[in-house]
Amino acid sequence: MNILVIESSPHKHGSSNLLAEEFMRGAEEAGHHISVFDAGHTELHPCLGCDVCGMSDPCVQKDDMIDLRKRILAADMVVFVTPLYYFGMSAQLKMVIDRCYSFNGQLTAKHLKTALIAAAWDSNDWTMRDLENHYQTLCKYLNFKDQGMILGTGCGTVTMTKRSGFPQKTYEFGKKV
């Protein structure tokens, strides 16, 4: 498969990106082609809500979403990677999701395989509930075919993440997709 990993942390070497690296290592070993889009360090702007695109034409904004749109539509699978901020996805990933409005119809018709990888400081049983629900709602609305989630609780720092079982779980997840 052609797998696009969309990282969204403002920390290039943070916990969520560590988990993404492990996923990619496993997926590459399984023979998949991996590419990365770093939404945390690119030129993206929020959706203007202008509706010029009509949900099927190019966005009026000329930023890195032009490239990302092509890459999403060419992918067999997209993996959304985010740190957990206030019990939701990062603003950078939310911006990517919002900007998909301009090709909503194409995206919905694609039945794209997707996955979610997230890292959170907290390890309460309810920590990831809202992020998980949001992701599942997006899957339902956009006809995404969810391949699974790695919800790394207790992964507040890279050291904490490395000591958790989540890097290994994410690697194994990458090998089986």
Side-chain angles (χ1 to χ4, degrees):
M1 279 190 297
N2 178 20
I3 301 174
L4 173 62
V5 175
I6 301 176
E7 297 177 338
S8 65
S9 177
H11 305 282
K12 280 190 178 276
H13 304 290
S15 293
S16 64
N17 287 357
L18 169 67
L19 296 178
E21 288 169 14
E22 289 301 308
F23 170 85
M24 290 185 280
R25 186 169 67 91
E28 284 175 339
E29 286 179 15
H32 301 295
H33 176 265
I34 308 296
S35 63
V36 178
F37 182 86
D38 184 354
H41 300 92
T42 190
E43 184 187 350
L44 285 178
H45 304 288
C47 178
L48 299 173
C50 65
D51 205 31
V52 170
C53 65
M55 297 175 78
S56 62
D57 288 324
C59 180
V60 298
Q61 299 188 77
K62 304 304 178 215
D63 59 11
D64 290 331
M65 193 65 191
I66 295 167
D67 174 55
L68 182 55
R69 175 184 177 146
K70 291 176 193 170
R71 292 173 69 181
I72 289 171
L73 291 174
D76 300 308
M77 180 177 182
V78 172
V79 180
F80 300 105
V81 181
T82 185
L84 188 76
Y85 289 155
Y86 287 93
F87 309 100
M89 65 183 68
S90 69
Q92 293 83 350
L93 183 57
K94 181 67 167 80
M95 191 167 13
V96 166
I97 299 293
D98 289 351
R99 291 290 299 282
C100 287
Y101 180 82
S102 69
F103 58 107
N104 195 80
Q106 288 174 289
L107 199 52
T108 302
K110 188 168 175 58
H111 299 276
L112 186 66
K113 291 179 181 180
T114 61
L116 174 66
I117 297 173
W121 186 285
D122 296 344
S123 56
N124 298 312
D125 62 348
W126 51 266
T127 297
M128 295 286 197
R129 181 181 56 218
D130 293 329
L131 176 63
E132 184 177 0
N133 287 337
H134 188 185
Y135 170 69
Q136 289 174 339
T137 299
L138 289 171
C139 288
K140 187 174 288 188
Y141 174 70
L142 293 169
N143 292 325
F144 289 163
K145 303 301 175 203
D146 175 33
Q147 303 302 295
M149 292 178 266
I150 298 292
L151 304 175
T153 54
C155 293
T157 66
V158 170
T159 302
M160 291 168 67
T161 304
K162 285 179 179 178
R163 284 190 211 141
S164 77
F166 288 106
Q168 182 65 30
K169 288 178 185 177
T170 310
Y171 166 75
E172 291 168 8
F173 178 52
K175 284 191 71 93
K176 75 170 188 145
V177 293

